Amino acid sequence: MSTDAQVLNRDAAVLDPLEQRRHRMHVLFRAAIYVLLLIGAAMILVPVLWMLSTSLKTESQLFVYPPKWVPDPIKVDNYVDAWTALGSIAPGLTFWRIIGNTLFITVLAMFAEMFSAAVVAYGFARFYFKGRDVIFFVMLATMMIPPTLTRVPAFLIWRELGLLNTYDPLIVPAWTAWGPTYIFLLRQFFMTIPRDMEDAATVDGANPIQIFFYIMLPLVKPAFLAIGVLSFQGNWNNFESPLIYLNTTQMFPLVLAIRFFQESLSKEAPKWHYMMAMATMMAAPILVLFFVAQRYFIEGLTVGAVKG
């Protein structure tokens, strides 16, 4: 160790002033980057830690000042009591009912988004037709339209169809490939696959449907799984659509049921400990899904962003 230190000191001594100045600037630049990263990480982690801390507090600890980060005592029972209390506020809203509603909406919408986006992306990447590029750029331009502008027209359409207070407005639009970002990502991947592979499959007797399912989709697995994670997260946390289209409390997903602890007990203080317990349970599946599929998720986003 002493020999290595002597060598480093000797090398530093022979550096000219200009090199030493560059070295100091490099160190300061990296230090500034680390400070910014730490600030960004703190901005994200502090609310998460506060959510976990509040979910383990008793009701008497919710509004104490100064606030306590570590609950004393720790009340793990909040995670069970929240479901019992929710059932008394909104009859019929049991744990399994809410989880079932949430999974029903999320899984069906996610499957529809993934399948429709893959079909449309494959069409844009592999089939030539008049106006293809214009249609593709118009589709990309729709990403600039604020979703709030389409809320009222969409609501009027579903009302005329008599499908309000059903799950159709939450699931059926996903079959129309309404995610231009997903289509763009998959198209970039499809365009990187040599056409020789499709030609070889055609010579072997495969039809376009078989080529799509058995050759093309497995080759774009990273991007396909990446949009699966994004779609699951988006539909799992979708708050506005159930709020607009659902009126029956027994049909509410988890994200909407949490609000009962804020509004239904208007004569009491909001049950923040129950809300945070349910929010923690709601965030857990998304975190697990991300860590399980993070390799494909990161690969799908980074590779798809630079290929094309």
Side-chain angles (χ1 to χ4, degrees), residues 11 17 44 53 56 78 82-84 122 126 168 172-173 185 195:
D11 292 343
I44 295 174
S53 172
L56 298 172
N78 286 339
W83 298 102
T84 306
Y122 183 60
R126 281 296 191 257
D168 290 338
V172 173
L185 186 65
R195 287 185 177 274

Side-chain angles (χ1 to χ4, degrees), residues 20 25 51 64 67-68 75 77 88 90 93 95 101 104 107 117 156 165 176 195 211 221 259 269 283 288 292 297 304:
Q20 291 180 3
M25 293 299 295
M51 177 183 70
V64 296
K68 293 183 178 179
K75 196 169 186 300
D77 294 344
S88 63
L93 270 186
F95 171 81
N101 295 341
F104 181 78
V107 173
L156 295 177
N165 201 30
T176 61
R195 287 185 177 274
I211 293 174
K221 186 170 63 175
R259 295 183 67 248
V288 172
V292 170
F297 180 76

Side-chain angles (χ1 to χ4, degrees), residues 46 48 69 72 93 99 109 112-113 123 131 138 141 173-174 192 229 250 263 268-270 281 303:
V46 166
V48 176
W69 281 90
D72 185 21
L93 270 186
I99 295 298
E113 282 186 337
V138 169
T192 63
V229 174
Q250 287 77 16
E263 295 184 347
E268 303 177 10
M281 288 185 282
V303 177

Side-chain angles (χ1 to χ4, degrees), residues 128-143:
Y128 293 100
F129 52 89
K130 189 175 182 180
R132 183 192 65 172
D133 294 338
V134 174
I135 295 174
F136 180 70
F137 286 115
V138 169
M139 183 203 67
L140 292 182
T142 60
M143 290 192 295

